[in-house]
Amino acid sequence: MSAIPPSHQQSEIQPPNGLPFNDRQPPAIQLYPLSNYTFGVKETQPEEDPSVKDRLRRLEEHYEQHGMRRTCEGILVCHEHNHPHVLMLQIANAFFKLPGDYLPHDSDEIAGFKTILTAKLAPPASSSLSTRDDAASSDWNITSTLAQWWRPNFETFMYPYLPPHTTRPKELKKLYFIQLPKSKVLSVPKNMKLLAVPLFELYDNSQRYGPQLSAIPHYLSRFRWEFVDEEGVVTAWTPGGVVDERVKVKVLAGGEGEQGGQEVKMEG
């Protein structure tokens, strides 16, 4: 085991008690350990569009028929060694994305998003895992919107603001924080991988994850965390201790039969 850098070592000298610095913050959010969750696989869910060109053409068709497309994605967070990890999908060893998709044009926002999350992550009814889930595998605690990304044209570029003079955006993608319960069963289509990615891996890493996903640590910085162990006891909280060397990206489920390849960032 390599030595801990001096800047990361815990000082033996206790600092004096200062004034509190915790006003105007939302309540602390409890994160449960990765080991509390059960992960499985289910039938393949092929991507609708074989290429970016096809995806943009379908976006254009949607816009002509129904107007701006609404897309919902979820940020699900747990912890490993008292460091927040974000659950995300990886397709073909290359395409990282959050769980979610575009809403049908006539669907209610939250109800429609819950249906999408259930299709993406809930175990199939025929699976033995479905009986192990807490009462509602289709119930998702969607707490708040953390970010909005706009697509002004039929192009791959999206922006975290509506560009000037854009009066008819083609798509709005909303990222929501989803509070995970103490335990849950999650299943991923077997043509995808479900990853647990630590925040420090995402931060300032747009080359690998793209601008939307690498910005997640910024979105989550408004929260204070309480890290709960498997017994339900809060054992650490913000600010935390030294990041354990074992904290890294973990493949939780899926990806059978995939060939190794270069991992690149793709979004939008």
Side-chain angles (χ1 to χ4, degrees), residues 126-221:
S126 59
S127 169
S128 59
L129 291 176
S130 63
T131 61
R132 297 176 54 185
D133 202 357
D134 51 299
S137 62
S138 60
D139 187 25
W140 303 90
N141 186 8
I142 302 170
T143 62
S144 60
T145 299
L146 295 184
Q148 298 186 134
W149 285 79
W150 300 86
R151 192 189 305 275
N153 300 302
F154 299 115
E155 300 173 349
T156 58
F157 297 107
M158 299 191 77
Y159 301 87
Y161 54 87
L162 191 60
H165 313 300
T166 300
T167 58
R168 296 183 177 88
K170 307 307 183 286
E171 182 178 3
L172 171 58
K173 178 189 289 187
K174 295 178 70 173
L175 306 185
Y176 310 78
F177 179 72
I178 298 176
Q179 177 77 64
L180 283 172
K182 183 177 180 180
S183 64
K184 196 172 184 66
V185 176
L186 300 171
S187 288
V188 63
K190 59 186 178 183
N191 60 314
M192 305 178 187
K193 291 179 182 177
L194 181 62
L195 308 177
V197 184
L199 289 191
F200 66 77
E201 164 73 11
L202 292 170
Y203 177 66
D204 199 26
N205 199 357
S206 60
Q207 182 176 4
R208 180 177 176 84
Y209 294 99
Q212 295 173 35
L213 301 183
S214 63
I216 289 176
H218 293 279
Y219 308 149
L220 297 179
S221 66

Side-chain angles (χ1 to χ4, degrees), residues 20-23 28 41 72 85 107 113 131 193 216 239:
F21 196 50
N22 55 7
D23 281 346
V41 294
C72 304
H85 284 57
S107 174
F113 184 32
T131 61
K193 291 179 182 177
I216 289 176

Side-chain angles (χ1 to χ4, degrees), residues 7 27 30 38 52 58 72 99 102 143 150 166 210 224 259 265 268:
S7 60
Q30 291 193 337
T38 302
V52 174
R58 187 159 56 86
C72 304
Y102 66 92
T143 62
W150 300 86
T166 300
R224 298 175 62 221
Q259 299 297 318
K265 59 94 177 174

Side-chain angles (χ1 to χ4, degrees), residues 49-57 156 266:
D49 305 309
S51 69
V52 174
K53 181 179 179 180
D54 291 327
R55 183 178 183 181
L56 293 177
R57 182 172 63 247
T156 58
M266 293 177 63

Side-chain angles (χ1 to χ4, degrees), residues 35-154:
S35 57
N36 272 26
Y37 303 100
T38 302
F39 303 97
V41 294
K42 55 187 175 182
E43 288 303 311
T44 296
Q45 292 181 5
E47 289 290 289
E48 292 186 71
D49 305 309
S51 69
V52 174
K53 181 179 179 180
D54 291 327
R55 183 178 183 181
L56 293 177
R57 182 172 63 247
R58 187 159 56 86
L59 171 64
E60 189 167 359
E61 292 172 353
H62 183 282
Y63 184 81
E64 290 175 355
Q65 297 177 29
H66 310 295
M68 184 187 73
R69 185 164 72 180
R70 302 169 298 156
T71 297
C72 304
E73 293 183 350
I75 298 177
L76 294 77
V77 188
C78 57
H79 81 84
E80 177 82 341
H81 305 297
N82 297 334
H83 185 75
H85 284 57
V86 177
L87 302 185
M88 64 177 60
L89 301 170
Q90 187 184 25
I91 303 171
N93 284 337
F95 180 25
F96 298 96
K97 64 176 295 185
L98 295 169
D101 210 334
Y102 66 92
L103 291 171
H105 73 278
D106 56 352
S107 174
D108 175 77
E109 180 177 341
I110 299 303
F113 184 32
K114 288 184 177 182
T115 299
I116 290 171
L117 288 174
T118 298
K120 293 288 185 183
L121 294 179
S126 59
S127 169
S128 59
L129 291 176
S130 63
T131 61
R132 297 176 54 185
D133 202 357
D134 51 299
S137 62
S138 60
D139 187 25
W140 303 90
N141 186 8
I142 302 170
T143 62
S144 60
T145 299
L146 295 184
Q148 298 186 134
W149 285 79
W150 300 86
R151 192 189 305 275
N153 300 302
F154 299 115

